Amino acid sequence: MSAGDTDSTGGGASDPTGGLPAVTSADREAAAALILKLRRQGIGDQRVLSALERVPRALFLSAPLQRHAAEDTALPIECGQTISQPSLVAMITAALDLRDTHRVLEIGTGSGYQAAILGLLAGEVHTIERYRTLADLARTRLRTLKITTVEVHHGDGMEGLPDQAPFDRIVVTAAAPEIPPALLAQLADGGRLIMPRGPKGSVQDLVVVEKTGGVLQERVLTPVRFVPLVEGVADRL
Ligand code: SAH
């Protein structure tokens, strides 16, 4: 496993992309092309697009994969997991309709990329990861980006974070056949939860659940393929 991607060269206090491994002009062009592609795909939310623009995806990848950072594909990360496809991150973030007053819970920190974007748009983000290695890497990357609104927790996201509940927004970035009841219980009234629901290793439905006056209402956004939500913390890594 490579930890070279947590490299920080320091500097750039006001620029959130300061202190990162070298970014070439070709990298910047590829990143700009990706944003353009997302805009053409119908992601019109400018706040979401600028958050994606501000978070260098390469930082969340191991060194050999960094040159693929601007490709609109999921890519492997440490611990046999994946970083989501940018267009999906954009779609999920737009569907969350975040405000800077929102308290957000993310299950499945993975690389920390989605958490970084949430952290730029929400007031407070808690993200839970079952692999300690991933939680530690994500924490370092968020620190490099000087994103202070995100707290990374190592634990079982299926239990949520009862001490910090309720949350205005909950996003689960791993799939399960059912939405964990603890998460629905920790959703604030007027809140919104997004999760890929469906069988392991197959196509799932990305569902949006809204809680109004204690009543849950759901709709399906799109078919997706996410890694599975697994109960408990990882016993290794
Ligand atoms: N949001 C991530 C991608 C998520 S991949 C990113 O932006 O990179 C899904 C992640 O969910 C994996 O890292 C996996 O380890 C984690 N996961 C699966 N089950 C979990 C659980 N019960 N609690 C916390 N994390 C879990």
Side-chain angles (χ1 to χ4, degrees):
M1 185 184 318
S2 160
D5 46 356
T6 60
D7 206 19
S8 167
T9 52
S14 58
D15 176 356
T17 64
L20 301 177
V23 177
T24 65
S25 60
D27 291 339
R28 261 190 288 271
E29 270 171 37
L34 175 63
I35 299 295
L36 199 62
K37 180 180 172 211
L38 298 179
R39 198 172 271 134
R40 287 208 190 100
Q41 278 178 4
I43 306 287
D45 189 327
Q46 193 48 49
R47 292 179 70 234
V48 172
L49 291 172
S50 33
L52 266 101
E53 232 167 347
R54 285 173 63 194
V55 177
R57 192 169 179 243
L59 179 69
F60 297 84
L61 291 166
S62 60
L65 289 175
Q66 287 180 356
R67 65 199 163 88
H68 298 289
E71 291 170 16
D72 191 23
T73 53
L75 291 167
I77 57 169
E78 297 78 5
C79 306
Q81 304 303 308
T82 54
I83 182 172
S84 309
Q85 189 179 351
S87 54
L88 200 49
V89 171
M91 183 200 288
I92 290 174
T93 310
L96 284 169
D97 191 23
L98 294 166
R99 298 284 167 267
D100 59 12
T101 51
H102 283 161
R103 299 182 67 249
V104 180
L105 175 65
E106 181 195 32
I107 311 303
T109 313
S111 66
Y113 178 64
Q114 170 84 72
I117 288 164
L118 299 175
L120 292 181
L121 298 171
E124 182 182 332
V125 178
H126 293 270
T127 180
I128 314 179
E129 172 55 52
R130 66 187 296 274
Y131 283 100
R132 187 181 293 281
T133 303
L134 291 177
D136 290 346
L137 280 169
R139 215 174 274 123
T140 307
R141 291 161 176 161
L142 290 160
R143 203 175 306 131
T144 300
L145 290 177
K146 299 180 173 64
I147 294 176
T148 54
T149 42
V150 181
E151 193 174 329
V152 181
H153 304 257
H154 173 232
D156 181 1
M158 287 179 91
E159 295 170 6
L161 277 182
D163 294 354
Q164 299 284 344
F167 296 96
D168 303 298
R169 300 289 186 261
I170 299 180
V171 55
V172 187
T173 62
E178 295 302 335
I179 302 172
L183 301 184
L184 289 172
Q186 290 170 33
L187 185 63
D189 203 45
R192 189 177 290 188
L193 175 149
I194 300 189
M195 168 171 170
R197 186 179 58 196
K200 258 191 213 172
S202 174
V203 175
Q204 304 108 19
D205 283 333
L206 186 65
V207 293
V208 180
V209 179
E210 289 187 275
K211 193 189 261 189
T212 319
V215 178
L216 300 173
Q217 258 196 327
E218 64 172 65
R219 64 194 156 93
V220 175
L221 272 186
T222 182
V224 286
R225 229 176 229 277
F226 273 82
V227 298
L229 187 67
V230 180
E231 207 172 338
V233 292
D235 49 5
R236 289 183 304 118
L237 304 170

